């Protein structure tokens, strides 16, 4: 479909068409489009910009990944489609492994998502040959690799569902979630919750890397100072004030 | 996919799978799933129940349709999938025509959506043979029928986009929108805005019919008393208070 650049929701419409194409390619699951729509709605309430509280969580996330022994970025279809490039760049900077994990798992789809990440420059993508299980998850999402998520100390889970995020915390991982819904189970259960759009969040994290990579003292300080619950409350307060503001703008 | 009844989001997950199946059947467009996701997010903020302000707008909508000379319900893929049954029942009670109008229009898809409505008991569904144009819309959504939307005085547009809702208002129609986002262009431009989930909204309207159908004085009174802007503000205020409440619940 042709989208006019004058349309007030141009960027959003182009992303929708891209996501719809990604379904045809077998990278995004059909229900992944519904998840994307939920994200769009919450991003709309955030004004489609990174908030101060998100930026704060993103800094802590970078610091934590740099301090980690074996950091892993867990990638699903939506993350690959929306922020594949950003994931590859971040993984190289913080020396994190990439592991593909799919809710709607099939060999064919796994191959497509891994292939998509490789086409963007990712090396040694894990996920094709799972050899371990995250306990407490009923579905195929439990499948993981010993070298990757199973032995990771820090896992970045963009666009995760609540069950798996909780199971990873139970397994003793430090879980960093990227989730536009500050009230989701994922957002509540993760130790670091970034309430931001996934591509924007990871692009920000990349810009934070130079400073944080050379200053261990700052890393340790921002990690120990961080209070996820208080930070989440700030995101909620922002959404409330945006709702009120938009309501006022809407008055003719 | 098998969804466990114990899942905290059971109802939502079942609807997602149904919508995903409707894409395979060609009734829902892939980007319709994204729209559904946006609706889900706003419904979540409403607590997934009909608010007092929505109920108020639903009563006015029924009154207006009963007072209308030629009321029409405009049906797209998502409306057919989510609330086809309810649309058919309401159309019979208020003697409204049903006209299918698609953003992603093709003869094949038109046939499928009309066929779906007919399979639910709809008679004389319009839309297959458009013979008029709503001015001011660039896309195929401009196509309509003289007997239906073009000559309608009241049009119910569930899940409409802002361009078309605005063009219908410009054409002199009374537009009743059903939209879970109280800030959308559709919600702002319609004369009656129902901020509620589409199946719930129309099911409510059906229950309001007996009283309103026999009392013209009440119909005229609630129509003249209604202030859409004030009513929309109430929906926004509700979302704000829900956000705050959920934030409190989320505190461990």
């Amino acid at each position: 479909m042709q989208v006019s650049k004058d349309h007030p929701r141009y960027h959003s419409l182009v992303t929708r068409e891209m996501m719809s194409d990604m379904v045809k390619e077998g990278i995004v699951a059909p229900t992944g489009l519904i998840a994307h729509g939920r994200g769009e709605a919450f991003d709309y309430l955030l004004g489609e910009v990174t908030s101060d509280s998100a930026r704060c969580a993103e800094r802590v996330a970078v610091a934590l990944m740099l301090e980690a022994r074996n950091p892993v970025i867990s990638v699903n279809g939506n993350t690959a489609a929306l922020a594949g490039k950003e994931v590859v760049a971040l993984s190289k900077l913080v020396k994190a492994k990439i592991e593909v994990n799919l809710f709607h798992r099939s060999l064919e789809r796994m191959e497509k998502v891994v292939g998509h990440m490789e086409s963007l420059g990712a090396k040694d993508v894990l996920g094709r040959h799972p050899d371990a299980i995250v306990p407490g998850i009923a579905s195929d999402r439990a499948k993981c690799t010993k070298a990757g998520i199973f032995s990771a100390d820090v896992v970045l889970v963009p666009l995760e569902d609540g069950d798996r995020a909780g199971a990873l915390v139970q397994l003793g991982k430090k879980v960093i979630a990227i989730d536009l819904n500050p009230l989701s189970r994922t957002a509540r259960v993760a130790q670091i919750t970034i309430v931001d759009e996934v591509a924007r969040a990871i692009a920000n994290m990349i810009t934070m890397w130079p400073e944080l990579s050379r200053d261990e003292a700052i890393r340790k300080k921002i990690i120990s100072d961080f209070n996820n619950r208080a930070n989440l409350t700030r995101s909620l307060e922002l959404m409330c004030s945006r709702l009120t503001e938009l309501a006022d703008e809407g008055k003719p």
Side-chain angles (χ1 to χ4, degrees), chain A residues 1-4 9-25 28 33 36 40 81-82:
Chain A
M1 196 189 69
Q2 216 28 42
V3 178
S4 157
R9 306 289 308 148
Y10 174 75
H11 181 73
S12 199
L13 291 177
V14 168
T15 305
R16 283 176 208 168
E17 291 300 319
M18 180 277 286
M19 289 296 280
S20 173
D21 291 343
M22 285 286 189
V23 171
K24 285 176 206 144
E25 287 183 32
V28 169
L33 294 182
H36 177 64
E40 266 193 1
L82 291 166

Side-chain angles (χ1 to χ4, degrees), chain A residues 6-250:
Chain A
D6 301 334
H7 196 285
R9 306 289 308 148
Y10 174 75
H11 181 73
S12 199
L13 291 177
V14 168
T15 305
R16 283 176 208 168
E17 291 300 319
M18 180 277 286
M19 289 296 280
S20 173
D21 291 343
M22 285 286 189
V23 171
K24 285 176 206 144
E25 287 183 32
I27 288 170
V28 169
T31 51
L33 294 182
I34 302 179
H36 177 64
R38 286 196 298 282
E40 266 193 1
F42 285 105
D43 201 20
Y44 180 80
L45 294 182
L46 287 170
E48 294 168 341
V49 291
T50 300
S51 66
D52 291 344
S53 54
R55 203 171 297 277
C56 171
E58 285 157 7
R59 266 170 69 83
V60 175
V62 175
L64 209 58
M65 292 183 91
L66 285 166
E67 290 289 307
R69 182 181 37 74
N70 184 21
V72 174
I73 306 177
S74 179
V75 169
N76 61 17
N78 277 30
T79 301
L82 291 166
K85 253 188 338 192
E86 290 81 359
V87 164
V88 172
L90 179 69
S91 75
K92 289 184 178 175
L93 293 174
V94 301
K95 297 184 174 46
K97 292 170 186 159
I98 293 173
E99 180 164 332
V100 174
N101 180 279
L102 303 175
F103 192 97
H104 295 273
R105 187 189 177 104
S106 70
L107 283 180
E108 193 196 348
R109 194 164 163 243
M110 176 57 77
E111 201 50 49
K112 283 191 174 158
V113 179
V114 171
H116 178 72
M117 295 305 294
E118 286 171 345
S119 76
L120 297 171
K123 299 264 181 270
D124 305 316
V125 179
L126 298 166
R128 278 186 183 109
H129 309 293
D131 54 6
I133 288 286
V134 176
I137 308 175
S139 74
D140 272 350
R141 288 162 306 147
K143 292 181 179 173
C144 67
T145 69
K146 280 184 193 154
I149 284 168
F150 197 77
S151 65
D153 49 348
V154 171
V155 188
L156 173 64
V157 287
L159 318 181
E160 190 53 73
D161 74 285
D163 290 346
R164 183 160 176 261
L168 289 170
V169 170
Q170 285 298 315
L171 198 56
K173 314 297 180 197
K174 284 266 184 213
V175 172
I176 304 164
I178 303 180
D179 193 324
L180 278 158
N181 176 0
L183 298 161
S184 73
R185 292 179 303 137
T186 303
R188 291 175 186 194
V189 83
Q191 288 100 333
I192 314 289
T193 307
I194 297 169
V195 180
D196 201 357
E197 193 278 323
V198 61
R200 229 162 44 217
I202 301 182
N204 290 336
M205 288 167 75
I206 290 166
T207 66
M208 293 163 182
W209 173 80
E211 179 206 353
L212 292 171
S213 69
R214 63 175 177 258
D215 194 334
E216 190 185 342
I218 286 200
R219 291 202 296 273
K220 293 201 186 299
K221 180 168 166 38
I222 63 174
I223 291 169
S224 73
D225 285 354
F226 185 69
N227 179 329
N228 200 44
R229 201 205 305 174
N231 203 55
L232 263 176
T233 301
R234 285 167 66 199
S235 291
L236 278 165
E237 284 166 356
L238 177 69
M239 282 190 182
C240 271
S241 66
R242 276 278 304 171
L243 264 176
T244 313
E245 191 184 302
L246 287 164
D248 289 342
E249 274 175 28

